[in-house]
Amino acid sequence: MVKVTDTGILIDDEVKFRPHAIFECGQIFRYEMSGGNYSVISEDKRAEVCRSENGYEIRTDAPEYFYNFFDFDTDYQAIMSELEGKALMSESIPFGDGMRILRQNHFETIISFIISANNHIPRIKGIIRRLCARLGKDCGTYYAFPTVEAMAAADTSFYTEIGAGYRAEYLSSTARRIADGFDIDNVSAYSTEELARHLMQLKGVGAKVADCILLFGYSRMDTFPVDTWIKKVYGGMCNREDSACKIRKYLRDLYGNLSGYAQQYLFYAMRSGMLKI
DNA sequence: TTCCAGGAGGGGG
DNA sequence: CCCCCTCATGGA
């Protein structure tokens, strides 16, 4: 059971929920682990994830927000059961047991995954941390993610200063375009492919970054981000190399409308060195 | 020191 | 459509 209180969320052990699998699977970058407990920040809200006697407790001032954020309305046991018989799932799902795909803010996800391109996860986290510290609202013990307006007002040299590298001009361009009216919120009429093409009009958003945004920001599960780790999975799976576009089509056909979940189980297992293929 | 990272943009064939 | 090159940064 999942119970929302006025100080947080109580989760018992019957619910699929494992912090390591949720935070270390590359879908989010604003989290910290200390003393075995994770803390996470999304938008201008923070939550602490603590082990309780028969499950986990999420302590936060925004329980309703994090109930949606952690996707508690989705039955992950049912998803795992449906995926179980498909390729490589019997090897990767047990390792990723307790993973959940977060429902993150659109703008925050777009910016975060532009930064993620051709970058290491620890460095992505550092760039985003500095971005929030410099442009985000001071919330006392942490900083909020910057508003569109704050990011649009900063110029390219600012993004170079915080270590964004050649992605600096992508960030300033995209923030300005969204501030100027490019709609990233009213998109329910778009199909997944239409939304991908829409997002790819933004500088720094290519096919793979768009797929990550679709998955982690828009909960479009019928897509399959192909990065270097998934290319390794595919190489071991089919014993050949192909373009990311072909790999994406192949794996989407294979996992269907559960592609996003399958992709995360595979990514997490492969990157952790637990998928021997 | 070279290689690599949750790749994208731009050019050319 | 395809392939090829370049791009900034820091950790391994």
Side-chain angles (χ1 to χ4, degrees):
Chain A
M1 288 293 290
V2 179
K3 183 180 179 186
V4 177
T5 71
D6 55 354
T7 58
I9 305 169
L10 301 174
I11 308 148
D12 68 36
D13 279 329
E14 296 167 17
V15 179
K16 294 295 179 187
F17 186 88
R18 191 163 61 88
H20 187 282
I22 293 169
F23 293 117
E24 309 285 354
C25 68
Q27 62 178 323
I28 187 163
F29 306 105
R30 288 213 292 161
Y31 69 91
E32 299 294 337
M33 199 274 284
S34 66
N37 290 330
Y38 282 91
S39 65
V40 60
I41 307 168
S42 177
E43 299 182 357
D44 59 347
K45 294 166 266 292
R46 180 185 175 114
E48 312 283 338
V49 180
C50 308
R51 182 71 196 169
S52 65
E53 47 289 6
N54 62 339
Y56 287 92
E57 178 183 2
I58 297 171
R59 299 174 189 161
T60 176
D61 291 336
E64 298 289 348
Y65 178 83
F66 282 104
Y67 180 89
N68 175 71
F69 179 82
F70 282 105
D71 193 29
F72 283 123
D73 280 334
T74 297
D75 180 358
Y76 280 77
Q77 182 57 62
I79 291 164
M80 291 162 67
S81 299
E82 194 173 337
L83 280 173
E84 187 64 37
K86 297 183 185 290
L88 295 180
M89 288 294 104
S90 62
E91 300 95 305
S92 53
I93 283 180
F95 185 68
D97 189 15
M99 183 274 298
R100 309 183 74 84
I101 295 185
L102 301 173
R103 300 166 67 86
Q104 302 186 60
N105 173 276
H106 298 157
F107 179 65
E108 185 167 340
T109 308
I110 291 168
I111 296 301
S112 297
F113 280 89
I114 287 175
I115 293 169
S116 82
N118 196 27
N119 214 341
H120 290 273
I121 289 177
R123 187 160 169 262
I124 297 165
K125 293 177 68 174
I127 295 167
I128 295 175
R129 190 182 312 114
R130 291 187 289 277
L131 170 66
C132 296
R134 293 281 298 273
L135 295 185
K137 182 181 67 178
D138 186 348
C139 296
T141 55
Y142 62 94
Y143 293 94
F145 198 85
T147 62
V148 176
E149 292 72 24
M151 284 194 64
D155 58 13
T156 301
S157 63
F158 166 80
Y159 297 104
T160 302
E161 276 179 37
I162 62 172
Y166 65 87
R167 306 162 198 83
E169 58 182 293
Y170 301 161
L171 295 173
S172 56
S173 167
T174 288
R176 284 172 190 165
R177 183 137 185 218
I178 295 171
D180 201 40
F182 184 94
D183 196 351
I184 60 169
D185 293 319
N186 305 108
V187 297
S188 58
Y190 288 129
S191 70
T192 297
E193 289 304 284
E194 287 168 344
L195 184 51
R197 281 196 294 275
H198 178 65
L199 293 170
M200 285 170 66
Q201 296 179 72
L202 297 169
K203 280 282 162 43
V205 180
K208 188 270 174 181
V209 168
D211 276 335
C212 285
I213 297 166
L214 290 171
L215 193 52
F216 307 132
Y218 293 88
S219 301
R220 300 290 183 114
M221 313 316 294
D222 56 334
T223 193
F224 203 109
V226 176
D227 73 326
T228 54
W229 296 98
I230 293 298
K231 286 178 181 173
K232 292 177 197 197
V233 171
Y234 179 83
M237 201 172 169
C238 298
N239 196 26
R240 57 180 289 180
E241 291 183 14
D242 271 313
S243 68
C245 183
K246 283 187 177 178
I247 295 173
R248 178 175 183 269
K249 175 171 173 42
Y250 177 84
L251 294 171
R252 278 183 85 183
D253 287 345
L254 194 53
Y255 298 109
N257 63 350
L258 297 182
S259 287
Y261 302 104
Q263 195 270 359
Q264 281 307 99
Y265 290 124
L266 290 170
F267 175 87
Y268 181 59
M270 192 65 186
R271 184 169 175 271
S272 304
M274 301 303 291
L275 194 56
K276 307 297 183 190
I277 55 176

